[in-house]
Structures are given as structure tokens and as C-alpha cells.
Amino acid sequence: MTDDADGDSRDLPRDSLHDPSKDPLFGLDKEEGPLGSPIFANRDLLVVGTVPEEDRIVGRDPEIEAVANEIRHVVHGEQPNHVIILGETGTGKSLVTQHVSRRAVQSARALQVDAGSVYVECKSHNTETRVARKIAMDLESDANAGIDIPRFGLGSTEYFSYAYEILNDHYDGVIIILDEVDKLDNSVDILHELSRAREAGHTDAYIGIIAISNQVEYGKKLNARVESSMRTSEFVFEPYDARQLELILEHRRDAFRDEVLQDGVIPLTAEISADEHGDARKAVDILRLAGDLAERQDETHVKIDHIEQAKEKAEVDQVKETIEVTTPQAKLILYALAKLNLHREQPYRTSEIYDRYELVARDVRSNVVSDERVYQILKKMSLIGVTESTRVGGGPNQGVYLEHELLRDPDIVLSAVLRSDDRLKELEGV
Ligand SMILES: Nc1ncnc2c1ncn2[C@@H]1O[C@H](COP(=O)(O)OP(=O)(O)OP(=O)(O)O)[C@@H](O)[C@H]1O
Ligand SMILES: [Mg+2]
């Protein structure tokens, strides 16, 4: 018995069994150990969602000053201006706003002025009640007001009352940031409520609102609708150019070990990202993915080639995320359209796509939906930005039909669809 047990353990790799700190499953058998990645010194600096420290925010000084100028009154216990910040995704809107309001609160407090700020992510607080609750709860915990606010069962009016009460007792002024304000179901009402609260006698504190959106058109319309009741300054954050992106990435160079980044890697990442639409989030993402790839391939340097691969992976990830919400039938249709485009890149008619789709659906033993349904799904797909549908024809003796163009590289779409659909993966034998 005892012998057997000994015999067993002799056959197994000792390190993995007896020394979890060297488990090869997690790459711990290598010299450097877990935190001793040969590539990264501090990978967290490049992780999406990590908010960079102040000295890493670069290339936005004029915007920082402009926003600060609008809200500076709160530092002195006076009415700040309301602000609307618009701009495409990854242009630093959330970052700059949070940075400026944090500094305003710090300065105010240094001058014995009771200022505060509340950050509301409207994506997850998308109704008036949720926004009001978030504001009340955050003020409560910031001011340590000692009020027990019920989490459930109240409406927006009650939650706003709690917020106003806390504001009255503990604050001279507050900056309320409504980020991704386009995700709210009634943003105009909420803006009206907050901007009129003092005038209406609900609170003595000054409320400054900063509303942010990456839907530029939506933001402009919103501004026009609220302008009559609240004076707002509107800023549009332009996409970063390659030089700014390079600066942003240079300030994260210490995410990597010394000498790991090959010459030209940062400028190339900046250039690629500027080419698309100057999205800093994407630039940071590509750099991290390139590091991950180098590490996985047991390389000691991040090379130009890793950036190219990372760019593709970032794009596939993005398309995959977009199509994740679509139905299994939509994936078959997208696969059919990608295949057609691999053959020749051009717009295709619904009927052409349908023929190809039908073959694919049969190949993966799926049911086949009607051509009307395929037409509907294609129209929906154009709404999420993967395809574009154009009406063609209509001349004498000509019918009208829709043509559908793939807006992304067919290889990228194909990889994304394959990664999100097992039936197609099997069909392609990958
Ligand atoms: N000026 C900058 N300096 C340093 N890093 C930046 C800068 N601007 C953006 N970043 C990086 O890009 C990320 C995305 O920026 P941010 O969240 O501010 O974008 P956004 O404009 O709010 O985009 P979205 O509309 O998608 O919410 C930040 O977390 C940060 O890592
Ligand atoms: Mg944002």
C-alpha cells in the first residue's frame, strides 16, 4: 500500500505536485516567477478600466483648462456653469472630466469650501430613479451623513429629496457628472430637474452638471433642447492625432521592462490607432495585446510584427463583441456575406446573400429562415455598424432592391464570426 503510493508520486512531475509556487500550468516554472514576466514590469498600466494617474494624462491640456474654467466657481462656493462634452469613443472625455472635477473638489476643500462630485455612469443607471438613487447614495457616503437611504421601493422624487437634504446640510456646491448621458431614457427631464433644483428652492447648494456623450448628434440635439432652461458650454473632444497618441503611450512605457519595446513599436501603434479614429483606449489596448502575444510566444521583445497581430486581434475582438448580441441566424448570414466578400469585395443583393446563406444553414444543419427574415436581419445588422444597406435601382422597368456592404475587412469578420459560433468553427474545421 505504502509502496504503491510512493511509486505513484515518483511518476508524477515533482514540481507541479509538491511546489504550487512553481506550477508550470501558470508559467511559474520559469526563472522569473509570476510577477517576473520577461515582458511586463507593470501590465496593469495598460489594462482597460485602469484610470491613469494624473501625470500620465497627456495631450489634453487645453481641454482640461477649458473644462476647469467652466466649473471653477464651485471652488469658491459659487454657481459653476453646466457643460456638455461630446466626442468619439476613446478621446479622453471621461478621463478629463473626472480628473478636473476631482481637482476642483480638492482645491475647494483646501479653501474650506464644501464641494463634492458625483460620477454617474448612465449605462448602468439608465432611469431617472436609478440616477437619483446613485446621486443620493454617493452624497450620503461622501458626506457621511448618517442617513439610511432605502435601496429599493422609492421613486426618483424621494431619492432626489434625500440628495437635496444631504446637499443642504453638507455641501456648498457639487459637480454631477452624467457620463454616456445618451443611455438615459429621459435625459432632458433629469437635466431640467437638477439644473432647476436650486431655483425651485429644493436646495441651497450650487449644482453644476457635466453631461458626456460619444453620440455627437444626440449631444447637440440635447443641448439645443435644454439650452432654454440651462446655460451650457459645449465642447467637442477631437480624436487624438498620432503625435498625441504617441505621447500617451510613451507615458505608459514603464508598463514594460527596460529595452523590451523594440524601436518603432510605439510610433507604429500610435499611427495605426490615429488612422482609425484616434482612439486612445484602442492604442493602449493594442500595446497590451502585443505584449501578451510576445509573452505567449516566449519572446524577449515586443516587435513590430506583434503590433500588427495585436491590431488584428483588437479588431476581431471588437467585431466579436458587436455581433455577440445577434442571433445564431444572424451569424450564419454574416458568415455568408463574409465568404462572398472574401471572393470579391463588393456590395451584395439580399437574394445573393440568401442563396449563400441557405447553403451554409444546410451545411451546419440549421433550420433555414425565409428570405424576408434574412432581409430583416440584414437591415438590423446595418444598425450595429457591421454592414451598410443601400437601396438600389428604381429606374424605368427596374425593381428596387437592397444591397448590403460589409463595412469591415472580411477576414476580420470571418474570424469574429468563427470565434462566436461553434457550428461554423466546426464547418471550417478550426
Ligand atoms: N489624454 C490622455 N492621456 C492618457 N491616457 C488617455 C488619455 N485619453 C484617453 N486615455 C486612455 O484611454 C482610455 C479611454 O479614455 P476615456 O475613458 O476618457 O474615453 P472616452 O472619451 O470617455 O470614451 P467613451 O466615449 O468610449 O466613453 C482611458 O482610460 C485612458 O487609459
Ligand atoms: Mg467615457
Side-chain angles (χ1 to χ4, degrees):
M1 235 357 235
T2 332
D3 280 345
D4 273 0
D6 277 344
D8 277 353
S9 66
R10 265 200 305 273
D11 292 340
L12 288 164
R14 274 200 57 129
D15 279 351
S16 63
L17 243 198
H18 298 296
D19 190 354
S21 71
K22 292 210 164 46
D23 195 334
L25 186 59
F26 305 107
L28 303 186
D29 53 337
K30 303 203 180 94
E31 287 271 291
E32 295 85 357
L35 299 173
S37 148
I39 298 289
F40 292 109
N42 182 3
R43 185 175 175 275
D44 274 358
L45 287 178
L46 303 174
V47 171
V48 178
T50 309
V51 177
E53 309 126 51
E54 272 177 35
D55 55 356
R56 296 187 194 275
I57 304 178
V58 284
R60 275 297 184 230
D61 288 347
E63 288 78 4
I64 290 175
E65 276 168 35
V67 176
N69 191 41
E70 298 299 323
I71 65 165
R72 74 194 135 90
H73 315 87
V74 81
V75 175
H76 305 286
E78 294 162 11
Q79 175 66 53
N81 295 333
H82 303 303
V83 185
I84 290 192
I85 298 180
L86 307 173
E88 288 194 54
T89 179
T91 51
K93 301 181 297 298
S94 303
L95 183 62
V96 164
T97 308
Q98 284 176 288
H99 168 68
V100 173
S101 55
R102 192 164 42 235
R103 275 178 62 176
V105 170
Q106 283 167 354
S107 294
R109 290 186 179 172
L111 301 175
Q112 317 299 328
V113 171
D114 288 320
S117 78
V118 175
Y119 178 75
V120 185
E121 225 180 348
C122 300
K123 194 161 59 179
S124 38
H125 306 277
N126 58 351
T127 64
E128 187 160 2
T129 301
R130 287 177 188 159
V131 169
R133 178 172 55 202
K134 169 78 174 152
I135 295 172
M137 296 271 189
D138 277 15
L139 289 174
E140 205 287 325
S141 71
D142 180 53
N144 239 324
I147 301 179
D148 194 12
I149 305 175
R151 194 149 259 291
F152 302 103
L154 303 186
S156 60
T157 316
E158 285 91 349
Y159 283 121
F160 275 129
S161 296
Y162 275 119
Y164 298 146
E165 184 187 332
I166 299 167
L167 281 174
N168 265 343
D169 294 346
H170 300 273
Y171 292 90
D172 298 314
V174 67
I175 300 292
I176 295 183
I177 302 166
L178 299 174
D179 202 351
E180 302 196 37
V181 69
D182 48 282
K183 299 279 166 24
L184 279 178
D185 53 14
N186 52 350
S187 46
V188 176
D189 291 348
I190 295 173
L191 292 177
H192 279 162
E193 167 68 39
L194 290 170
S195 64
R196 287 183 188 148
R198 190 166 189 279
E199 216 175 81
H202 297 317
T203 173
D204 290 337
Y206 294 100
I207 298 178
I209 306 165
I210 304 184
I212 307 174
S213 175
N214 56 25
Q215 309 289 315
V216 178
E217 287 315 309
Y218 175 97
K220 288 196 184 291
K221 272 192 215 142
L222 179 69
N223 196 4
R225 281 200 62 190
V226 297
E227 203 157 29
S228 53
S229 68
M230 62 183 246
R231 262 195 50 75
T232 54
S233 305
E234 179 184 293
F235 298 106
V236 178
F237 282 26
E238 296 299 332
Y240 291 111
D241 61 26
R243 191 187 47 85
Q244 289 167 315
L245 290 172
E246 197 172 327
L247 206 59
I248 290 171
L249 295 177
E250 276 298 346
H251 278 71
R252 316 266 181 115
R253 186 183 267 277
D254 53 334
F256 294 92
R257 290 190 178 278
D258 287 347
E259 317 283 328
V260 158
L261 289 186
Q262 230 175 33
D263 282 353
V265 156
I266 285 186
L268 177 67
T269 311
E271 207 177 294
I272 295 177
S273 313
D275 254 4
E276 293 267 318
H277 80 252
D279 176 344
R281 189 184 291 116
K282 186 158 177 198
V284 171
D285 242 8
I286 291 179
L287 204 56
R288 187 195 66 257
L289 285 169
D292 285 344
L293 284 168
E295 199 171 66
R296 210 167 310 141
Q297 294 163 10
D298 273 332
E299 300 240 15
T300 49
H301 291 85
V302 178
K303 302 177 182 157
I304 298 287
D305 188 40
H306 292 128
I307 300 294
E308 310 274 4
Q309 294 172 36
K311 173 193 177 235
E312 186 161 331
K313 181 159 187 334
E315 283 173 8
V316 173
D317 284 350
Q318 203 204 348
V319 174
K320 182 168 176 272
E321 203 176 296
T322 315
I323 64 174
E324 209 75 86
V325 295
T326 63
T327 60
Q329 287 293 345
K331 284 173 191 157
L332 299 183
I333 296 167
L334 202 54
Y335 173 85
L337 184 58
K339 282 294 216 184
L340 287 169
N341 275 278
L342 275 180
H343 176 63
R344 182 179 298 160
E345 276 193 57
Q346 62 175 51
Y348 286 91
R349 291 188 191 196
T350 312
S351 58
E352 292 168 309
I353 301 169
Y354 187 81
D355 290 345
R356 186 64 180 241
Y357 152 80
E358 208 178 356
L359 294 175
V360 176
R362 291 197 198 291
D363 278 348
V364 300
R365 287 184 293 280
S366 155
N367 60 321
V368 179
V369 298
S370 69
D371 50 358
E372 172 60 23
R373 185 77 198 112
V374 168
Y375 169 81
Q376 297 296 347
I377 292 175
L378 280 164
K379 279 215 307 209
K380 253 198 203 142
M381 218 108 72
S382 74
L383 292 180
I384 58 172
V386 184
T387 61
E388 190 172 72
S389 304
T390 322
R391 202 166 282 283
V392 186
N397 308 323
Q398 233 187 341
V400 178
Y401 55 89
L402 269 194
E403 271 188 353
H404 312 274
E405 186 180 352
L406 202 56
L407 294 179
R408 300 304 197 96
D409 192 272
D411 282 311
I412 302 278
V413 175
L414 194 65
S415 305
V417 183
L418 290 182
R419 274 183 39 203
S420 64
D421 192 300
D422 287 341
R423 302 165 303 173
L424 292 168
K425 217 181 281 174
E426 205 176 306
L427 182 67
E428 289 266 329
V430 288

